[in-house]
């Protein structure tokens, strides 16, 4: 006779799948793709290795599902930002700060991205959702950039992907390089005492770069 837990898993497959994903996210982030073990994930979720293979097809499928979920979360937050009712400069600053806040509070995401780069993005290359994972971020930024250009505030030689790269570079660096940076320079980039300073810094950097004339000093956008 099956246990009550096993019967509950049969009745509520979505909850079981979500539990597996939560534990797998931490295991992959802490141990890497190679170091994480499906047996260990199963043991921590009160399910079985067989069930994990049933839901995800194996370790590779589980890791890809974890990556896709992590990207979907940040994309959903970006979509919720009401940028169309903000002045372009403020909208850009808020998007940069949203990314800063997300990456700080989701260090597993930063580690997962770093791990996937170690593996040359071989898992994401198999994803059927790559366009969905990319489009929301660029749609939001494209609208902001176009309104800023129309207002004569933003420079013409940058596109949404340029700006996305700048924001991501700063925000990912804090987590991905936290320990080596601290070992070399003695500064913890996730020190709460530095948080407000660094959060303002990414907003200032992006705004200054996007409002600078390609051949001269930053434009005067105080009225924005």
């Amino acid at each position: 006779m099956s246990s009550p837990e096993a019967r509950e898993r049969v009745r509520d497959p979505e909850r079981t799948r979500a539990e597996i994903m939560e534990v797998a996210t931490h295991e992959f982030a802490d141990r890497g793709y190679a170091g994480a073990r499906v047996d260990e994930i199963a043991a921590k979720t009160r399910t079985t290795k067989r069930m994990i293979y049933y839901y995800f097809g194996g370790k590779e499928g589980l890791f890809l599902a974890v990556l896709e979920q992590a990207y979907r979360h940040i994309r959903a937050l970006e979509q919720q930002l009401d940028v169309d009712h903000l002045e372009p400069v403020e909208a850009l600053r808020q998007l940069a700060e949203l990314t800063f806040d997300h990456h700080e509070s989701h260090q597993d995401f930063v580690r997962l991205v770093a791990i996937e780069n170690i593996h040359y993005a071989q898992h994401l290359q198999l994803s059927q959702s790559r366009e969905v994972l990319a489009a929301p971020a660029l749609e939001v930024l494209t609208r902001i950039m176009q309104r800023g250009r129309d207002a004569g505030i933003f420079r013409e030689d940058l596109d949404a992907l340029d700006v996305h790269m700048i924001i991501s570079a700063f925000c990912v660096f804090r987590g991905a390089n936290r320990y080596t940076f601290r070992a070399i320079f003695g500064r913890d980039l996730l020190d709460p005492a530095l948080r407000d300073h660094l959060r303002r810094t990414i907003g200032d950097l992006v705004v200054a770069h996007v409002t600078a004339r390609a051949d001269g000093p930053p434009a005067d956008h105080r009225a924005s």
Side-chain angles (χ1 to χ4, degrees):
M1 182 179 294
S2 61
S3 68
E5 292 84 359
R7 290 195 297 272
E8 182 64 25
R9 287 196 296 270
V10 171
R11 286 196 297 268
D12 195 354
E14 287 305 311
R15 191 172 77 173
T16 300
R17 194 177 190 279
E19 184 185 13
I20 294 169
M21 291 281 285
E22 181 179 2
V23 172
T25 295
H26 297 309
E27 287 294 303
F28 284 123
D30 287 344
R31 301 177 183 275
Y33 178 75
R37 297 286 181 266
V38 175
D39 288 334
E40 186 70 16
I41 294 169
K44 291 182 177 181
T45 55
R46 298 173 301 162
T47 187
T48 64
K49 184 176 181 179
R50 181 179 179 182
M51 287 296 292
I52 292 176
Y53 273 77
Y54 172 78
Y55 283 118
F56 301 99
K59 182 178 178 180
E60 184 175 59
L62 177 57
F63 184 63
L64 177 57
V66 164
L67 280 172
E68 289 176 339
Q69 177 176 266
Y71 275 104
R72 284 193 180 98
H73 184 263
I74 178 63
R75 297 298 174 252
L77 293 177
E78 292 162 346
Q79 289 289 93
Q80 291 170 17
L81 188 61
D82 189 14
V83 298
D84 295 324
H85 291 86
L86 297 171
E87 292 297 324
V89 168
E90 181 59 25
L92 186 58
R93 184 179 291 277
Q94 286 201 21
L95 183 62
E97 291 174 349
L98 180 149
T99 306
F100 180 98
D101 293 342
H102 171 272
H103 287 26
E104 178 182 72
S105 60
H106 293 80
Q107 286 296 294
D108 282 351
F109 172 77
V110 174
R111 288 191 287 269
L112 288 168
V113 171
I115 289 162
E116 180 63 353
N117 275 284
I118 290 172
H119 292 277
Y120 305 103
Q122 67 184 35
H123 304 95
L124 279 176
Q125 293 288 350
L126 301 174
S127 174
Q128 301 300 308
S129 305
R130 276 180 293 165
E131 184 174 341
V132 174
L133 300 180
L138 298 183
E139 287 171 1
V140 171
L141 264 171
T142 297
R143 295 204 309 273
I144 297 172
M145 295 292 290
Q146 188 58 54
R147 289 197 298 116
R149 285 192 291 265
D150 290 345
I153 300 169
F154 291 172
R155 53 198 286 182
E156 298 282 347
D157 62 331
L158 297 174
D159 64 16
L161 194 55
D162 292 326
V163 179
H164 176 74
M165 179 180 65
I166 294 167
I167 296 171
S168 294
F170 186 97
C171 296
V172 169
F173 185 95
R174 284 184 71 220
N177 295 66
R178 177 188 186 184
Y179 298 105
T180 51
F181 199 88
R182 184 172 64 187
I184 295 171
F185 299 108
R187 175 178 291 186
D188 183 353
L189 295 175
L190 267 67
D191 182 345
L194 295 173
R195 184 180 192 277
D196 289 346
H197 165 70
L198 293 175
R199 194 172 187 266
R200 284 193 304 271
T201 297
I202 180 55
D204 291 345
L205 283 171
V206 174
V207 168
H209 185 61
V210 173
T211 58
R213 295 198 302 272
D215 59 348
D220 185 352
H221 54 80
R222 287 173 293 180
S224 302

